[in-house]
Amino acid sequence: MTTYQFPENFWWGSAASGLQTEGTVPGDGRGKNIWDYWYEIAPEKFFNGVGPEKTSQLYTKYKEDVQLMKETGHNSFRTSIQWSRLFPEGTGEVNQEAVAFYNDYINELIANGIEPFINLYHFDMPMPLQENGGWLDRKTVDAYVNYAKTCFQLFGDRVKHWFTHNEPIVPVEMGYLYQQHYPAEINLAHAVQVGFHEALSNALAVKAYRSLKAEGKIGIILNLTPSYPRDETNPADVNASVIADAFFNRSFLDPAVKGTFPTELVNICRDLDILPVYQEEDLAIIKANTVDILGVNYYQPRRVKAKESAVDHSNGPLPEDYFDYYDWPEKRINPYRGWEIYEKGIYDILINLRDNYGNIPCYISENGMGVEDEQRFLNSEGMIEDDYRIEFVTEHLKYVHQAMQEGANCLGYHMWTCMDNWSWLNAYKNRYGFISVDLVADGKRTIKKSGYWFKQVSDRNGFEG
Ligand code: BGP
C-alpha cells in the first residue's frame, strides 16, 4: 500500500455548467440559446428526446445541492453563468432574475465553505447572436466582452477564480467540423474563424479583468488530448501527431498561455488560404493578455498515424487530411461513451505543461466516466455502487500525484460531475455524477458510493492505494 498525500489547500470538487444543470422555470427570464433552438427543430437528435429545458432542476434545488456537495467533500465547485440567462438577447438588458439567482447560488456555496469557480462560455450561444453568425461574427466578441465584464462587476467581489471558456475547441470542431453542435456545419474556414474569435475573446476578457485590478485569478479551461503517434520511431507518424496536436490542443493552449499560434497551424491555414479575418491589433492583444491559470479537462488521448487512406475532398479540407486515426490494439474503452481510458495521459499533460508551458499553475478541471443504466448497480439501501468510478478516479489521481512529485504545478482535482446532468445530444444517457438524479422521481438526488469515497479522500487530503 502506498499513501498518496496531496498538499494542503488542494482543491477537491467537481465541475458542471449552467445549461447542463439549471433547467428553466416560468418567469425566470432566461433567453433562448442554440440548444433550445436545436431541440425545437430537431428533437429526435437528443437521446430519448430529452431537451435542455428541464435538466437537473438546479435552479430550484441549488440549496439542497450545495448541501450534497458538502456531504461529498467539495471545497470548491465550478459552474458557468449562462449567457442567455444573464442577457436574454445576448446583449442589452440584464435579466435581474438571473442576477438574484446567481447571487444566491454563489453566496450559498461560500456560506458552506465551497469556493465558487465561475466559467463564462460553456457552449451556450444566445440564439439572437447565433442568428447573426455566432462566433463567426466579430460583433459576438464584443457582446461576449460585455457579458464577461458584467459578470466580473456583479460577482467579482466574491468570485476569485474566473474562467473565460470551457473547451473552446469543442464549438469549433463540433459546430463546424463534425456536426454534433449547432449549426452543425462542415467548413474548416469557418472553424478557423470561430476559433480565432474565441481565442481573441479570451484575451479581451483577461484584459478586462486585469483592468479592474481585482485580486482574483483568471484562466481558461482546455480539454487536452495528448496525441500519441502509432510508432514513436517513425518520423511520419510523429509528424502526424504533431499536426493533430497543433489542431486540437495547441490551437488554444499556445495563444492562451504563450500568446502565439502554432506555426504548423498557421502554415496549413495559409496554404489553404483560410487564415482568419482579423484586425491589426488583435495579435498584440492576444500576445499581451495570457491567462494566470489553466484548467485541464482530460478524458481520453488521441492516437494517430501518418496519412494512409485517401483524402476525402467531398467536404473541403479537414484536419484529417493530415493524419489518420490509429486504433491501438491494447486500448481499454469505456463502452458507454466510446472513449479510451488511459490514465497515464493525465501525467503526460501535466509534464508537458511543466516543461513546455512555464509550469503554469493548473488544475484538473474535469475528468470522469459516463456510464449508462447505473440503476443496475443499486444496492439494497438504494445506493448506486459505482466501484468502476472509484477505480477510474483513483488511477487518475495516482498519476496526478506522480506528476506533482516531479514538479508539476497542479492545484486541484475536479470530477465531471457532481449531480448527474444533461449532456449535449446524449442528454441523460451516460451518468457521470457523484450523486444520482432520478428523472422519474422529480429529480430526486441520492449520493453514490463514489460520493462517500470522495468525501474521505478530501477529508484526508489523499488516499491509500
Ligand atoms: C466535456 C464537457 C462537459 C461534459 C463532459 C462529458 O467535454 O466540458 O460539458 O459534457 O465533457 O462529456 P459528454 O457529456 O459528452 O459525455
Side-chain angles (χ1 to χ4, degrees):
M1 279 293 211
T2 312
T3 304
Y4 295 87
Q5 193 63 46
F6 288 81
E8 246 179 84
N9 303 322
F10 197 70
W11 298 323
W12 297 106
S14 65
S17 78
L19 180 68
Q20 292 177 276
T21 51
E22 292 168 11
T24 48
V25 297
D28 66 5
R30 176 180 166 283
K32 207 189 268 185
N33 63 49
I34 50 175
W35 295 94
D36 303 307
Y37 176 73
W38 213 17
Y39 183 62
E40 245 170 59
I41 60 167
E44 71 287 350
K45 285 190 184 295
F46 293 75
F47 185 76
N48 280 347
V50 175
E53 81 286 2
K54 202 167 174 204
T55 60
S56 298
Q57 305 173 53
L58 178 136
Y59 192 77
T60 49
K61 292 181 186 273
Y62 64 92
K63 291 206 168 158
E64 181 191 338
D65 288 352
V66 169
Q67 290 311 311
L68 290 165
M69 288 176 201
K70 235 171 119 172
E71 285 173 42
T72 48
H74 286 61
N75 61 20
S76 44
F77 171 71
R78 178 200 15 140
T79 188
S80 67
I81 289 181
Q82 276 193 75
W83 190 346
S84 57
R85 185 182 292 289
L86 195 63
F87 286 100
E89 298 297 318
T91 59
E93 285 288 294
V94 170
N95 169 17
Q96 293 306 326
E97 298 292 326
V99 177
F101 163 67
Y102 287 118
N103 268 329
D104 281 358
Y105 185 9
I106 288 168
N107 292 344
E108 191 72 16
L109 285 163
I110 294 171
N112 284 282
I114 301 168
E115 188 188 342
F117 288 16
I118 298 292
N119 175 48
L120 298 172
Y121 193 71
H122 199 131
F123 314 161
D124 53 347
M125 180 60 67
M127 203 53 209
L129 299 180
Q130 187 65 41
E131 279 160 6
N132 292 322
W135 285 117
L136 270 179
D137 180 13
R138 175 89 189 198
K139 287 205 262 336
T140 295
V141 177
D142 302 335
Y144 168 88
V145 174
N146 177 55
Y147 147 63
K149 276 186 189 158
T150 309
C151 290
F152 301 151
Q153 279 155 3
L154 286 168
F155 312 112
D157 57 332
R158 287 149 291 155
V159 174
K160 302 298 173 204
H161 285 96
W162 289 96
F163 296 91
T164 59
H165 285 261
N166 174 79
E167 304 187 348
I169 191 72
V170 168
V172 173
E173 55 181 358
M174 296 308 172
Y176 294 88
L177 296 175
Y178 310 128
Q179 300 188 292
Q180 297 290 304
H181 289 197
Y182 189 79
E185 292 182 10
I186 309 179
N187 185 328
L188 186 60
H190 281 183
V192 168
Q193 186 69 60
V194 161
F196 182 80
H197 280 157
E198 285 187 295
L200 176 64
S201 74
N202 166 69
L204 287 166
V206 169
K207 183 168 184 238
Y209 187 67
R210 298 244 164 86
S211 74
L212 298 172
K213 307 247 178 296
E215 62 187 51
K217 303 276 183 218
I218 186 156
I220 192 166
I221 290 165
L222 302 179
N223 51 321
L224 299 178
T225 49
S227 296
Y228 298 112
R230 167 180 55 185
D231 176 357
E232 277 178 11
T233 64
N234 174 347
D237 283 350
V238 172
N239 187 49
S241 78
V242 169
I243 301 291
D245 190 42
F247 267 109
F248 297 104
N249 297 318
R250 294 176 56 213
S251 48
F252 286 99
L253 184 57
D254 284 17
V257 179
K258 298 180 172 171
T260 54
F261 289 95
T263 316
E264 295 85 348
L265 199 54
V266 174
N267 288 343
I268 287 175
C269 292
R270 188 175 295 119
D271 288 350
L272 295 172
D273 199 18
I274 56 167
L275 281 172
V277 176
Y278 60 94
Q279 295 172 4
E280 181 110 31
E281 67 275 17
D282 292 351
L283 298 184
I285 291 172
I286 290 170
K287 181 79 195 156
N289 295 284
T290 55
V291 296
D292 300 321
I293 179 168
L294 192 67
V296 175
N297 293 355
Y298 175 66
Y299 290 93
Q300 56 169 345
R302 188 180 300 269
R303 298 192 185 274
V304 298
K305 58 184 178 185
K307 188 81 188 157
E308 290 168 349
S309 59
V311 171
D312 173 5
H313 291 290
S314 54
N315 291 305
L318 283 174
E320 289 75 9
D321 297 354
Y322 300 89
F323 57 85
D324 275 342
Y325 287 104
Y326 171 55
D327 190 8
W328 186 39
E330 287 165 52
K331 66 183 184 297
R332 281 176 299 132
I333 291 280
N334 166 5
Y336 312 102
R337 192 61 182 81
W339 287 346
E340 182 181 339
I341 300 177
Y342 183 68
E343 297 89 349
K344 182 171 174 286
I346 211 164
Y347 167 87
D348 291 338
I349 293 171
L350 292 172
I351 296 301
N352 180 35
L353 295 178
R354 182 195 71 184
D355 294 347
N356 300 312
Y357 291 87
N359 213 9
I360 182 171
C362 67
Y363 80 111
I364 302 303
S365 43
E366 285 183 31
N367 179 224
M369 188 185 184
V371 172
E372 206 168 339
D373 191 17
E374 288 197 306
Q375 296 304 316
R376 280 175 293 164
F377 306 109
L378 267 185
N379 68 15
S380 53
E381 273 99 58
M383 181 181 76
I384 291 170
E385 297 201 6
D386 53 346
D387 292 281
Y388 42 87
R389 182 165 291 111
I390 296 173
E391 188 194 324
F392 180 99
V393 178
T394 305
E395 295 309 310
H396 282 84
L397 276 173
K398 286 182 185 173
Y399 274 111
V400 171
H401 188 267
Q402 186 183 332
M404 291 169 67
Q405 296 294 97
E406 295 173 22
N409 199 359
C410 178
L411 307 175
Y413 177 90
H414 280 187
M415 253 278 283
W416 186 268
T417 183
C418 186
M419 251 61 67
D420 286 343
N421 66 28
W422 186 85
S423 162
W424 326 100
L425 294 191
N426 273 335
Y428 281 90
K429 174 179 173 289
N430 303 314
R431 305 302 186 98
Y432 283 87
F434 284 133
I435 298 159
S436 70
V437 169
D438 187 339
L439 295 179
V440 181
D442 197 34
K444 182 170 176 283
R445 277 78 161 127
T446 312
I447 298 178
K448 300 177 196 175
K449 188 173 173 185
S450 60
Y452 292 110
W453 170 81
F454 197 68
K455 166 99 169 94
Q456 285 180 359
V457 174
S458 161
D459 285 352
R460 292 185 200 155
N461 219 11
F463 59 93
E464 308 255 306

